Amino acid sequence: MNKLIDSLMLEMRRRSQRAHLESLDDRLLADMGLTRDDIRGKRRQNRNAF
């Protein structure tokens, strides 16, 4: 049972960190006047260029 609780706590911590990093990414992009969709669009365009 402790292993289950430990793994759940670890997963919750990971998700929390991921959410924090994503919000940091969004703030950095906003500072540059971009959104995630802008970045995704650029990636798609780059892929299509080859």
Side-chain angles (χ1 to χ4, degrees):
M1 188 64 173
N2 280 343
K3 278 188 173 185
L4 176 62
I5 292 170
D6 288 344
S7 66
L8 285 172
M9 293 295 286
L10 184 63
E11 181 60 25
M12 286 172 58
R13 201 172 305 127
R14 277 191 195 129
R15 288 180 185 203
S16 165
Q17 289 170 344
R18 190 176 305 130
H20 176 69
L21 288 174
E22 286 175 357
S23 70
L24 269 180
D25 287 348
D26 289 340
R27 276 186 259 153
L28 289 171
L29 287 170
D31 287 348
M32 294 186 287
L34 297 169
T35 65
R36 284 186 197 197
D37 290 333
D38 294 332
I39 300 299
R40 286 186 188 117
K42 287 186 175 136
R43 281 191 190 141
R44 273 193 210 105
Q45 289 170 358
N46 290 342
R47 243 185 267 146
N48 293 338
F50 295 107

